[in-house]
Amino acid sequence: MCGCVLLAAAASHVLPPGEYDRREDPVTSRRVVVAGTYHAVPPRPVGAFQALVVIPRGMADAAPVIFFVFLIGGAFTVVDATGALRQGVDWLVRRFGHSEALVIPVASLAFALGGVLDNMKEEIIALVPVMLLLTRRLGYRPTVAVAMSLGAAAVGAAFSPINPFQVGIAQQLAELPLLSGSSFRIVFLVGALAVWIWGTVRYAMRTRADPPPAASDATARGTATLDRRRTAVLALVLVTFGALVVGVLRARWGFNEMGALFFVMGVVAGLGGGLGVGGTAEAFVAGFRSMAYAALLIGFARAIFVTLDEGRIVDTIVHGLFTPLANLPLALAALGMMIVHALVHVPVPSPSGHAVLTLPILVPIADLLGLSRQVTVLAYQYGGGLCELFTPTNGALMAILAAAQVRYEDWLRFAVPRLLGLLALGAAAIGLGVAIGLQ
């Protein structure tokens, strides 16, 4: 992460600074670029000391996400301290042990649904302890826990027909009817999930170790039965996630509201689970400590974008990558858009920020080429969305890998082969869209 920050600072000394004009978009209520207004601006290179200063600035900029991570980490440590998580997982394994082959597909589809509906990402951090307990009891590696949670959610979001933070914003910016092209997207969504889930199951079976017996599992001490108190704690967790879904979808909650919800859950779970005031506070502190590394990674990831923005080269990168597409044949231009979106998503990891930066530039280019606007949105979805699986500037990915204790290199070894297959599927969808004139 530090190397990426320094590389971004060095780029500010090499690349010519430039910016697009921006305006308020009445439809999306966001500031979007004005196509054709790219112009040079005075240079503002980021020096060595400034690059170091950008790191705490990135943490401050990502403060809502960082404190959300601390609060959900603390809350779930409290729940785990009551023994409810371990008892619940052991009960599931005993109850459905004969259907272990369904665990990965069912869990993956559940998280994929979160990605399809709401671009689920940071919210998954709260469920990492549960997924680790489940995979450990079944003998799977922690990589499988990340694959069937964040991985499935990212694939669902990238191929979603209704994700409001990706395809929703993109279609508004492209002046397309919301939900247009949904049938086309659903077909490829099914294919993408099949590719990802099949790859996850295959990896899990190939690397599986003998699952520890419940009686000797160090994490299952004293959890032979699921008693009433711990059942009530698990019910509280389910109610909390129900409230989270309603709050996000209906009331447009942000990280502050979600953090408050999980804080309340932790307090009630600790008191109701028999930890008392002191035990609950100690569990919260232990949770904060365990999430410190993950939270710092989010801040460092944000610092990379802050460095590029401070050096005034974000728009330069976008302009330099997209302008040559106007000279390509129609089908190659569409595929080129997908590839360039994948590159742009590294310095601009926010899906909505990526959309408002690139779509106003690409839509006029697509119109000049005679390329369908719907295909232009597909290129954004597949190129940028699938990069959520590997880009190191994705704070949620790095935080979840840290919480699951999965090395980034190990994750890449698992994810990249499946990512290439998904990109090939996305390219096929774009090619078919161009061929049939998808509108």
Side-chain angles (χ1 to χ4, degrees), residues 70-283:
F70 274 125
L71 288 172
I72 60 178
F76 269 87
T77 300
V78 172
V79 173
D80 186 51
T82 67
L85 288 181
R86 292 177 231 132
Q87 282 193 1
V89 170
D90 280 345
W91 180 85
L92 284 173
V93 171
R94 290 195 306 272
R95 179 69 176 80
F96 301 102
H98 61 284
S99 305
E100 288 183 5
L102 297 178
V103 170
I104 292 177
V106 171
S108 297
L109 288 174
F111 281 99
L113 181 62
V116 168
L117 296 177
D118 193 45
N119 197 47
M120 178 184 280
K121 194 164 52 175
E122 284 84 0
E123 297 88 341
I124 295 172
I125 300 171
L127 292 173
V128 170
V130 183
M131 301 304 294
L132 287 176
L133 282 171
L134 179 61
T135 52
R136 186 183 301 123
R137 290 292 294 116
L138 295 174
Y140 300 142
R141 291 187 177 182
T143 303
V144 177
V146 180
M148 61 185 183
S149 55
L150 177 72
V155 173
F159 285 84
S160 171
I162 58 176
N163 178 356
F165 299 100
Q166 286 190 356
V167 65
I169 289 178
Q171 286 184 328
Q172 288 178 326
L173 293 170
E175 299 179 352
L176 293 170
L178 293 178
L179 303 182
S180 58
S182 294
S183 300
F184 184 89
R185 286 182 172 84
I186 288 173
V187 171
F188 286 93
L189 169 63
V190 172
L193 290 177
V195 169
W196 184 259
I197 293 173
W198 177 79
T200 303
V201 170
R202 188 164 176 244
Y203 173 86
M205 293 297 103
R206 191 173 66 247
T207 60
R208 185 181 188 185
D210 292 332
S216 63
D217 185 2
T219 65
R221 55 189 182 279
T223 61
T225 59
L226 188 61
D227 58 36
R228 291 183 179 179
R229 172 174 282 182
R230 290 169 179 81
T231 299
V233 172
L234 291 177
L236 172 65
V237 173
L238 293 177
V239 169
T240 300
F241 274 97
L244 175 70
V245 171
V246 173
V248 170
L249 295 180
R250 296 287 183 87
R252 297 298 177 187
W253 279 2
F255 291 112
N256 292 332
E257 291 81 3
M258 291 189 291
L261 177 67
F262 280 106
F263 175 71
V264 172
M265 183 196 79
V267 172
V268 175
L271 298 179
L275 298 181
V277 175
T280 301
E282 290 175 3

Side-chain angles (χ1 to χ4, degrees), residues 143 196 389-390 409-422:
T143 303
W196 184 259
L389 290 169
F390 79 90
E409 309 91 274
D410 294 337
W411 172 251
L412 287 183
R413 276 193 287 271
F414 165 81
V416 168
R418 288 125 191 117
L419 173 65
L420 294 176
L422 292 172

